[in-house]
Amino acid sequence: ALVMAGVRRKKMAGNRLPWKATGQENIVLLVIAMPLVFILMAVRAEIRSLAVMTGSAWLPYHGQDPPAKSWEEVKSLELATYTTDLEVANFFQYVTIFAFGRLCVYYLQDAPTEYRKALKLAGLQGVYLYVFFGAFRAIGNLVIALLGEIDKEDRKAAAAAVLRDKVMTQVGPVFTVATLLCVYNMLILGSMSDIKRHLGSANLKFQGVKALVLISQIQIQVLMGLCAGSPLYQAAEKLPAKYQDEIHSWHFSPYRAQLMHASLLCYECLAVVLFNRCVWSSNTDYMTVARARELSEDGSDVDADQQLPALQQRLLVEEV
């Protein structure tokens, strides 16, 4: 992702100052480099999970008499850090989704002023709702993890329990509706001719932007559902006796599920990077629209869309 962003940035700079970029260029770079943050936080979460499963988290307290912390406290701290790492990754992902929505609206700014304002305020209602509740969920889960549940009598732990049981459970159904509304919203925007002309398949690019959020939410639920002692496991115990040996030999624990989840996210980040490499062509000059608009705003009577082909040809000649 870092190499792709660097190559993309070099092509964008051209003969301009290398540190000067338009708003749309920054958004393109943000989308391409997005897996960089996600994989970093996934690796951090994987380290926390391994520290619990191998017992290495206890090494700083080994030999202390008495130890400064109990094993339960150390384990809870490591698992809380595991959660916060992944929630930070999700929060960054929601920021990227918001930026991508604004990029789509940016390409519609050749519309009349009143339509442009309506598109800016109302055209992304589904995306705004999805990003708001997604970020709220990420921050809420992060706060719950930070408060922890080391001491059940502690007021912070009680506040975390209230936030988890009373608030976050109510956000879930609303977030599901917001997700569907966001997908529908982007389908409508992605089908508009102005966006297609500049971004190509915007909906396909949007799938890459939100893929890691969906994977991180669904994958952990599936893995936890396969753990020994889960409702699915208990239902499997009611199967005929000939299956009981296989069922009772299944020892997939929640700790293994968390480790597998963090490990798989690293490979899934690589898949998103390769996907972005395919859909975000390095030969497309996303800055020509902004430069054509700048020429139009300087006083030219020619529409920015009419200037675009000539400007693209001029940039091609300069590059050669």
Side-chain angles (χ1 to χ4, degrees):
L2 182 62
V3 172
M4 287 176 57
V7 172
R8 180 68 258 173
R9 184 69 191 89
K10 184 177 184 299
K11 286 181 175 291
M12 286 176 174
N15 296 324
R16 301 176 299 152
L17 296 176
W19 56 84
K20 183 179 180 181
T22 64
Q24 62 190 122
E25 291 171 350
N26 287 326
I27 293 177
V28 172
L29 292 174
L30 176 65
V31 173
I32 293 175
M34 167 267 301
L36 208 67
V37 175
F38 214 101
I39 195 171
L40 174 63
M41 305 313 294
V43 170
R44 283 177 53 87
E46 185 178 3
I47 293 173
R48 302 300 180 181
S49 182
L50 285 171
V52 172
M53 294 187 67
T54 61
S56 61
W58 182 251
L59 289 179
Y61 308 97
H62 180 68
Q64 295 182 1
D65 189 22
K69 293 182 181 293
S70 67
W71 168 245
E72 288 300 320
E73 290 176 329
V74 173
K75 182 180 69 173
S76 297
L77 179 61
E78 293 295 331
L79 294 179
T81 309
Y82 172 95
T83 301
T84 56
D85 288 337
L86 294 182
E87 292 303 335
V88 168
N90 285 331
F91 181 81
F92 182 84
Q93 190 77 12
Y94 290 119
V95 173
T96 307
I97 292 172
F98 173 79
F100 183 81
R102 294 302 299 267
L103 177 65
C104 292
V105 173
Y106 179 87
Y107 287 123
L108 299 175
Q109 290 196 5
D110 289 332
T113 305
E114 58 179 328
Y115 291 105
R116 187 164 63 243
K117 184 177 181 180
L119 287 169
K120 183 178 180 180
L121 297 178
L124 290 177
Q125 289 294 330
V127 177
Y128 292 156
L129 190 67
Y130 176 71
V131 170
F132 174 79
F133 281 104
F136 180 82
R137 261 197 4 167
I139 294 174
N141 291 331
L142 189 148
V143 171
I144 292 172
L146 289 177
L147 294 178
E149 296 187 22
I150 298 175
D151 184 0
K152 297 296 181 182
E153 303 299 327
D154 186 70
R155 288 184 298 176
K156 292 182 179 179
V162 171
L163 180 61
R164 182 185 63 248
D165 299 333
K166 301 296 184 181
V167 178
M168 302 308 294
T169 54
Q170 303 298 324
V171 174
V174 180
F175 182 72
T176 302
V177 175
T179 302
L180 297 176
L181 185 59
C182 176
V183 172
Y184 174 74
N185 201 165
M186 290 306 301
L187 285 175
I188 297 300
L189 284 176
S191 63
M192 302 184 73
S193 58
D194 284 342
I195 294 179
K196 283 185 175 180
R197 184 166 65 252
H198 303 309
L199 277 181
S201 179
N203 289 318
L204 189 61
K205 291 180 173 64
F206 182 66
Q207 300 308 315
V209 174
K210 67 182 181 67
L212 289 175
V213 167
L214 297 179
I215 291 172
S216 64
Q217 293 170 357
I218 298 173
Q219 182 172 263
I220 186 63
Q221 295 178 11
V222 173
L223 293 174
M224 286 298 186
L226 296 176
C227 292
S230 66
L232 181 61
Y233 180 87
Q234 295 173 2
E237 288 182 318
K238 299 178 182 179
L239 293 174
K242 62 180 180 179
Y243 300 109
Q244 293 306 309
D245 290 339
E246 289 79 5
I247 294 171
H248 291 148
S249 63
W250 182 258
H251 301 297
F252 191 66
S253 67
Y255 300 119
R256 291 182 179 180
Q258 290 176 323
L259 177 60
M260 180 175 287
H261 175 57
S263 301
L264 288 175
L265 281 175
C266 297
Y267 294 99
E268 288 152 359
C269 286
L270 174 61
V272 171
V273 169
L274 297 177
F275 179 82
N276 286 340
R277 177 62 184 88
C278 295
V279 299
W280 291 90
S281 174
S282 60
N283 295 323
T284 303
D285 196 344
Y286 298 99
M287 72 181 179
T288 53
V289 180
R291 295 180 66 179
R293 186 171 291 112
E294 289 173 0
L295 292 175
S296 180
E297 291 174 354
D298 287 341
S300 175
D301 295 331
V302 183
D303 185 76
D305 286 337
Q306 297 176 3
Q307 293 181 358
L308 184 58
L311 183 57
Q312 288 176 332
Q313 183 65 29
R314 192 177 72 187
L315 290 174
L316 180 61
V317 172
E318 290 177 356
E319 184 175 351
V320 173

